[in-house]
Amino acid sequence: MRKYLYIYKSELMSQLQYLFNLVFGFIGCGIILFIFFNLWHYIYSDSSQIINGYSVDQMIWYVIITEIIWGACMGRTLCRKISNDVRGGNIAYNINKPYNYIGYSLASHLGTATVKGIIYTVLALILGLVMMGNFPTTNVLELVLVLISSILAVVISSLFTIFIGLFSFFIEDSSPFYWLYSKFILVIGVIFPIEYFPNVVQPFLKFSPIYVVSYGPAKLFVNFNINDCISIFVAQFIYILVAYLLCSLVYKKGVRRLNVNGG
Amino acid sequence: MLTVVKNQIKVTLLSIKYGLMRQMLNKTTFITNIIFMLLNNASFILQWVILYSLKDNIGGYTFKQVLLLWGFAAGTYGVSHFFFKRVFSLSDIINTGKLDASIIQPKNILLSVITSDVEASALGDLIYGYIMLFICDISISSFLLFTLFIICGGIIMTSIAIIYGSLAFWFNNTEMLADTGNSLMVNFATYPEGIFKGVVKTLFYTLIPIGFANYIPVQVLNDFNVFGLLAVLGVTTLILCMAIAIFYKGLKNYSSSNLMSARI
Amino acid sequence: MNEEKAIRVKGLKKTFKIKLKEKGLIGSIKGMFKTKYKKINAVNDISFEVDKGEMIAFIGPNGAGKSTTIKMLTGILYPDQGEIEVMGIDPRRKRKQLAYEIGTVFGQKEQLWMHLTPYDNFKFFGAIYDLDERVVEKRINELVELFEISEFINTPVRNLSLGQRIRCEIAASLIHKPKILFLDEPTIGLDPVVKENIRTFIKRMNKEYKTTIFLTSHDVGDIEKLCKRIIIVNHGEIVLDDSMDNLKYHYLNKKIVEAKMKEKINLDDEEGITILKDKGYNLKIEVDTTKRTVGDAIKLLDPDKIVDINISNVPLENIISDIYKSGN
């Protein structure tokens, strides 16, 4: 475990030099949040109106949290890196190293994600405070739980991305699959809470990755509820386990294929 | 004079053709890029279906009008990114001295730089634009108007990118600023004007001119008025002239990558 | 306007404002608010003339102002001060007109479309220079013959070897029959055989079309084999402008004696004799023949103890680097 911590730390330190770029890069994200601020204020007739269980401020905070998590995941970069490792033969060098490739990729990616996550969190929370004038919750325990759940969301999303990136063992280009995944999360999971969808699809969404990588932490932040909290954490742990097992399985199969083909 | 223009057009078209040929070297990738861009744009319809289930009218737009707005946004983006792809990396071209090759040719420098590559996926945007138009309205006149408007919009978007890119003639590290500036137009372009208020609205007719590239065209197509059309044509010309003037003013400062920032 | 001259440059100056950046994050943040600039005189008062049909080498160490000068001659950079006339045209005012008269090859930057064949590239350049279809075809045939391109005329450029590619680059830059060809490091990265090959082509072209050639290179072979005249710049100034023969003659009165000895001997510098290298058994001595003879040097070494000896002229490379150094 210590070596993964070390990989994580060195990646984090090297990312610090790009601090300025990250702050600047937040502008794009800030614009989206600003657009949603306007959009939801147009749709909600006044601040007391509740639609599908959410007030207008809650809807905007919801988008803020999901955008932070999505921004910190940087899935496209990770997916491209994994694909390049696989296709460029870099992975062959990793086979006989004393660490697990998936653990290595995850640790180094989380190092990058941490820096971006912190910057985005600080800036997005400031922006939210400016737009709404208050936080949905100031309970420290609740905030800590939201934070943990958000971190788990980033871990799960990264594992899924690694899983998709590893498809490159079997097909030439895995990016269309990543694209499908990102569209699914972005269009359905980032903008609207699950309650906004028709009753028929809601149960499906609750079992889908959306529940653990975007809906969960955002829901807890805007409207904390201990029952939701427990089920979200349970779901997140199950998902981590499943995602990790899927990664290992694909990796093992892929490496075996690599050996057969002679790299 | 006429032959000069004719020769310039010939070279520009040849340049775009060769750029397209490069993109088509790998046919599968080429077609996948286009199809995925179509699907990408289409996926946002879901967002609007949900939003319109809450309210019939958003920012003064009906659902169909939002589709048309998307058509204009995609069409505008498609025109500028297909024909003038390299304008969106103009800062980098200036910083790394890649303008040299265009300067030593006896043709228009700006055109030669920005037309030297095309973006395959932008074809998907163009096609999507027309699909949205046909969903809303099928007639020759709207087809012609739409085409005229996306050309104008594409020129506006390109001109803005020329201005942002030209900043690199005077300042260092302008790439991120240029990227952000260019993405502003794209981000706002797909949301109805009416959801914004006050200062932001004036931005749409000044610094982020999507008012002329997208909002007025939607109005004119729904309810033709000649003033809207003239305003778009006039502003397009104006912004283009401004962009060209700024580029050529900056060119005198061009340092052909000799200006490396020294570290102490 | 002087009809005889291909290039006339007078009092040319160009300064660059270089932004100084401090290291690290704090430096970057400081730099955002207050920037320090340093002025560098890249080209400082350069004047020279080149005759039509001449092959001239324009050389100097990195950062001496070579490419800045070339870029001003070709209209890429605006000079701060001074006059330039290239084929009687001021690059500042008539860039397009100038472009028809000159050709350029930058060894490190390719101008060709990589995914197209040389033939398609030539056609493209023909269109750029407004050439008629028939004229282009004829010209392509000429160039294909001159540069022996026919073998790979229909192979995409990206599949060509570096040597073949440079040949195509040069041919493409000649499509419009330029009066002057600027060659910036044309043989960079090529192996010796290919280098020689390219030089032959350049020579042939100069002979055939009377093209004036303005060459920069770090490769002494290029300069020695191609050019009759050499201009050396350093720190933005011309430190030498002379014929190749003169330059060599000037330095030919120095000889290098390299000897391998049976046993160690100790030698010290004397009038007219300089010890360049002394590794005990292996010696390298420079003899100034205006003051001492080579025989003197051999006597000093004691002929009986010499195992092997080699007497040679000072290589052009050393002459040039001496000139670079003396300019400091």
Side-chain angles (χ1 to χ4, degrees), chain A residues 20-25 27-29 31-32 34-36 38-45 51-52 172-173 175-177 179-180 183 187-188 191-192 196-198, chain B residues 26 29 32 36-37 39-41 43-44 46-48 50-51 53-55 57-61 173 176-178 180 183-184 187-188 191-192 194-197 200:
Chain A
F20 174 72
N21 289 19
L22 283 175
V23 173
F24 212 89
I27 294 176
C29 177
I31 297 292
I32 306 256
F34 175 75
I35 290 173
F36 277 99
N38 283 281
L39 184 64
W40 287 122
H41 271 279
Y42 187 89
I43 288 173
Y44 279 77
S45 47
I51 301 178
N52 295 325
E172 206 199 321
D173 188 6
S175 56
F177 289 93
W179 183 86
L180 282 175
K183 275 291 123 189
V187 177
I188 301 178
I191 305 169
F192 307 105
Y196 265 66
F197 292 89
Chain B
N26 187 337
T29 317
T32 333
F36 269 86
M37 191 46 81
L39 293 175
N40 179 51
N41 293 340
S43 70
F44 285 94
L46 185 65
Q47 178 189 333
W48 291 102
I50 295 173
L51 289 170
S53 72
L54 305 172
K55 210 169 181 147
N57 174 321
I58 295 177
Y61 278 51
N173 303 323
M176 289 205 58
L177 178 71
T180 310
S183 68
L184 276 183
N187 281 337
F188 280 113
Y191 292 89
I195 64 169
F196 302 101
K197 293 183 210 92
V200 188

Side-chain angles (χ1 to χ4, degrees), chain C residues 250-265:
Chain C
H250 207 72
Y251 280 82
L252 272 184
N253 46 34
K254 286 199 176 138
K255 294 275 175 187
I256 302 286
V257 177
E258 284 171 286
K260 194 173 174 192
M261 308 300 294
K262 263 186 219 160
E263 32 189 283
K264 268 191 186 177
I265 52 165

Side-chain angles (χ1 to χ4, degrees), chain B residues 114-187:
Chain B
I114 64 180
T115 58
S116 57
D117 201 3
V118 302
E119 175 104 56
S121 63
L123 273 181
D125 288 300
L126 265 177
I127 296 168
Y128 188 78
Y130 280 103
I131 295 176
M132 290 302 107
L133 171 73
F134 295 146
I135 289 176
C136 298
D137 185 9
I138 300 183
S139 73
I140 304 248
S141 63
S142 64
F143 175 82
L144 291 177
L145 264 181
F146 182 83
T147 308
L148 177 67
F149 277 134
I150 61 171
I151 291 173
C152 286
I155 292 175
I156 291 178
M157 206 168 178
T158 307
S159 304
I160 295 287
I162 293 172
I163 295 173
Y164 279 121
S166 298
L167 292 178
F169 283 125
W170 290 281
F171 310 104
N172 285 6
N173 303 323
T174 53
E175 272 148 73
M176 289 205 58
L177 178 71
D179 286 349
T180 310
N182 289 325
S183 68
L184 276 183
M185 275 194 82
V186 181
N187 281 337

Side-chain angles (χ1 to χ4, degrees), chain C residues 210-225:
Chain C
K210 303 273 174 298
T211 316
T212 310
I213 290 176
F214 194 93
L215 169 90
T216 75
S217 182
H218 283 296
D219 189 307
V220 177
D222 286 351
I223 301 157
E224 205 168 8
K225 302 226 166 83

Side-chain angles (χ1 to χ4, degrees), chain A residues 67-125:
Chain A
E67 281 283 344
I68 293 173
I69 294 172
W70 185 251
C73 286
M74 288 181 293
R76 203 200 301 240
T77 321
L78 178 62
C79 184
R80 199 180 300 140
K81 194 179 155 289
I82 303 281
S83 300
N84 287 345
D85 275 359
V86 173
R87 275 185 294 176
N90 227 336
I91 213 152
Y93 295 102
N94 282 301
I95 291 173
N96 50 14
K97 291 244 173 78
Y99 53 65
N100 170 324
Y101 176 75
I102 296 157
Y104 169 81
S105 306
L106 185 66
S108 91
H109 184 69
L110 289 180
T112 320
T114 305
V115 180
K116 195 172 177 191
I118 292 173
I119 302 280
Y120 270 46
T121 306
V122 171
L123 294 174
L125 290 185

Side-chain angles (χ1 to χ4, degrees), chain C residues 118-130:
Chain C
Y119 180 79
D120 285 337
N121 268 295
F122 296 153
K123 293 279 267 193
F124 181 71
F125 278 88
I128 284 181
Y129 292 100
D130 311 324

Side-chain angles (χ1 to χ4, degrees), chain C residues 152 156-168 190 194:
Chain C
F152 45 86
V157 175
R158 67 194 146 98
N159 297 340
L160 298 181
S161 71
L162 193 54
Q164 292 171 330
R165 211 154 80 196
I166 290 286
R167 261 147 73 188
C168 292
L190 299 175
V194 179

